[in-house]
Amino acid sequence: MSTLLPRGITDSGHRFSFLTRDLGHYLRPGAPHPHPLLGAANVFTAETNDEATLLPQVRRLHEVFGFDGVLTSCDYYLPTVAAIAADLGLPGPGRDAVAAACTKHRARQLCRDAGVAGPEFAVAQEWDEIDSAAATLGYPLVVKPVDLCGGMFVTRVDDRAQLRAAVERIGEFDVNARGQRRAPQILLEECLCGPEFSVETVTVGGRTTVIGVTDKQITGAPAFIEAGHMFPATLSPTDIDAVTAVAVAAIEALGLDTTVAHTEIKLTAAGPRLIEVNPRPAGNRITELIRRVTGIDLAATYAEVAAGGTPDLTPRPTGIGSAAIAFAVPTGTGELTRVDGAEHWATDRRVVERNLTEPGALVRPATDNNTYLGHVMVAVEQPGTAGELANELIAGLCFELAEVRA
C-alpha cells in the first residue's frame, strides 16, 4: 500500500506531504527506487512514535500548509493518524474507534457485546493466567499478540507445550517494525475451521458500501500465511449476504466511519465468524485485483474519504471477470541461487504483474505475511478462474537454494 497510495492520492486530485521518523527506511537497498512516497510535495521528519510531541509539530505544519486530510499506509500508525485528524479537525474515523479496531482483544469484546459472531476468546498476560484460559477454552487454539499485523506470531497450538513455546516467542519480540513497544497481553482464540474471505468496504456518513468479497488462500497450521487472493470470491448469493452482514455489523460495533475497511471472516459450518476488522484498504495487492475487475481504486478512495469527499463507488466495465494474486511462500533455508519456471510469464497476456526475488537473497521459511519469494497477478475475462491460474503459475516455479556456511 505504501507504493499504491501515492498514485491513489494523485488520482483523487490531491497532492500530499509525507511525514516520517526514518527517511532512511525509504532509501535502503531493496526499497523501490525511487520510493513513490518520496515523490511528495513536501517531506518532513518527526518522531511519529511520540504523540505528545508530534501533535504540536503537525499543528504548526498545518498552519502553513493547510492540510485537507491525513492518512497512513501502515497499520501501526492508524491510531496516530486518527489522533492527528481529531486534533486538526480533519475528517477521520474517530480515535476511539480506530484504537479499538487496532487492539485485537478490545475489538473482540466490542463485537461480541454487539452480537457479532466470532470465536470464543480470552486475553491474559501472565503465564498462569494464559495457561488457565487455554484450559478453559480447550485445544486447539490460535495464539496471537494483541497489537501486531501481517500475521506475525499468529500460531495454532494443540497442547500446553506448544502454547508455552508460542507465548515465549511472542515475549521475545519487544517492539514492532516501527520501533513501538508492544502491549504484553496475549489473545487466545477458538480455532475456527473453514475457508477465509475478506470483505472490502467504504463507510461515509454512517453508511457502509460493500465493494465486494475476496477469496483468501491461507497456508496450513501452525502459521496462517496468506498464499493468494482472488476477487471476486466464488460464493453463493446466500453466503455473500451472510459474510457481508457480519462485516458491516462489526464496522458498526466498532463505531468506524469515514474510512475504507478490510474485514477478514471465516466461513465455518456454523456460519461466518469474524476474524478482524482493519480500518484501511486491504494489503497484499488486493486493491489492485479490485481495481482491475471493478474499476474502483480503493487507494484513491481512501485518499478521497480522508479529505472529506464522497467517492463514486459505481463499478465500471473493465472486461475482467476475475483477478488473482498468488505468492511464492518460502519453506527452505539458504541462499537463493536460481529461479526457474517463470520464463514464459512475460509473454502470457493473462499475467498483469509479476515479481520474483533475485538470486543472492538469503531465504528462510515464512512465518508471516512479510516474507515471500515473489508473486504473480493474473486477470482474465471468465469469473472465478483467476485463482486457479495464479496458483498453477506459482506451483510451476523451482527455487534452488544453497547452504549458507558460517
Side-chain angles (χ1 to χ4, degrees):
M1 185 52 60
S2 69
T3 61
L4 296 174
L5 192 54
R7 184 192 70 191
I9 293 171
T10 303
D11 289 349
S12 66
H14 293 277
R15 296 185 306 150
F16 70 98
S17 296
F18 176 46
L19 188 150
T20 177
R21 71 188 294 266
D22 181 12
L23 189 59
H25 177 77
Y26 303 90
L27 301 170
R28 73 191 191 286
H33 182 72
H35 197 290
L37 284 171
L38 299 183
N42 309 287
V43 178
F44 308 121
T45 56
E47 181 45 79
T48 52
N49 288 346
D50 184 358
E51 191 175 301
T53 60
L54 176 63
L55 291 179
Q57 289 180 271
V58 175
R59 267 184 237 125
R60 289 192 292 271
L61 290 172
H62 184 49
E63 290 173 359
V64 177
F65 294 96
F67 304 122
D68 299 300
V70 54
L71 42 68
T72 182
S73 64
C74 178
D75 283 52
Y76 299 130
Y77 289 119
L78 289 168
T80 305
V81 160
I84 293 172
D87 188 70
L88 299 184
L90 298 175
R95 299 180 70 169
D96 292 343
V98 172
C102 293
T103 310
K104 292 179 172 60
H105 62 295
R106 289 178 61 190
R108 277 269 177 261
Q109 188 65 57
L110 287 169
C111 287
R112 182 169 70 180
D113 291 348
V116 180
E120 293 298 318
F121 71 95
V123 62
Q125 181 172 335
E126 302 300 330
W127 167 248
D128 288 346
E129 297 173 333
I130 295 170
D131 189 27
S132 176
T136 300
L137 287 171
Y139 294 96
L141 291 168
V142 175
V143 180
K144 59 181 70 172
V146 298
D147 58 355
L148 290 181
C149 63
M152 293 188 68
F153 298 101
V154 178
T155 309
R156 170 178 164 144
V157 297
D158 295 314
D159 55 41
R160 191 169 182 263
Q162 291 180 6
L163 173 64
R164 186 67 182 252
V167 170
E168 289 178 351
R169 283 194 298 272
I170 295 171
E172 293 169 357
F173 196 74
D174 295 332
V175 296
N176 65 28
R178 292 297 182 265
Q180 300 167 341
R181 186 157 295 278
R182 287 199 316 99
Q185 293 90 350
I186 300 292
L187 183 61
L188 307 175
E189 296 179 345
E190 169 193 5
C191 189
L192 300 174
C193 296
E196 187 168 324
F197 302 90
S198 64
V199 182
E200 323 307 334
T201 57
V202 180
T203 304
V204 177
R207 179 177 180 271
T208 296
T209 300
V210 176
I211 304 302
V213 178
T214 307
D215 184 302
K216 300 171 68 66
Q217 299 296 313
I218 309 296
T219 63
F224 297 87
I225 300 167
E226 296 180 356
H229 312 285
M230 182 177 71
F231 184 90
T234 53
L235 282 172
S236 70
T238 299
D239 285 338
I240 289 285
D241 289 345
V243 166
T244 56
V246 168
V248 173
I251 290 167
E252 292 176 352
L254 294 170
L256 289 167
D257 198 354
T258 319
T259 190
V260 176
H262 167 70
T263 302
E264 297 172 342
I265 293 171
K266 284 254 188 184
L267 187 55
T268 74
R273 296 291 183 267
L274 177 69
I275 301 300
E276 64 184 26
V277 180
N278 301 281
R280 42 79 176 165
N284 261 356
R285 315 295 282 182
I286 290 174
T287 57
E288 280 295 279
L289 306 182
I290 295 167
R291 184 180 67 84
R292 291 184 178 276
V293 174
T294 69
I296 298 170
D297 185 344
L298 286 177
T301 299
Y302 188 40
E304 190 171 351
V305 170
T310 301
D312 180 4
L313 300 176
T314 306
R316 297 179 290 280
T318 63
I320 300 299
S322 176
I325 188 169
F327 298 95
V329 180
T331 57
T333 300
E335 179 182 345
L336 181 64
T337 58
R338 183 182 177 91
V339 182
D340 290 321
E343 295 78 13
H344 64 291
W345 287 8
T347 57
D348 190 333
R349 293 184 179 181
R350 302 168 300 179
V351 175
V352 295
E353 185 178 299
R354 63 191 191 277
N355 179 63
L356 290 172
T357 300
E358 294 290 334
L362 298 180
V363 177
R364 60 172 177 81
T367 56
D368 51 53
N369 301 328
N370 299 312
T371 308
Y372 295 121
L373 289 175
H375 71 262
V376 62
M377 184 186 296
V378 300
V380 295
E381 294 180 9
Q382 299 80 13
T385 59
E388 183 177 354
L389 171 60
N391 291 336
E392 288 176 355
L393 292 174
I394 287 294
L397 296 176
C398 178
F399 296 92
E400 293 185 5
L401 301 178
E403 182 181 355
V404 178
R405 302 195 179 190

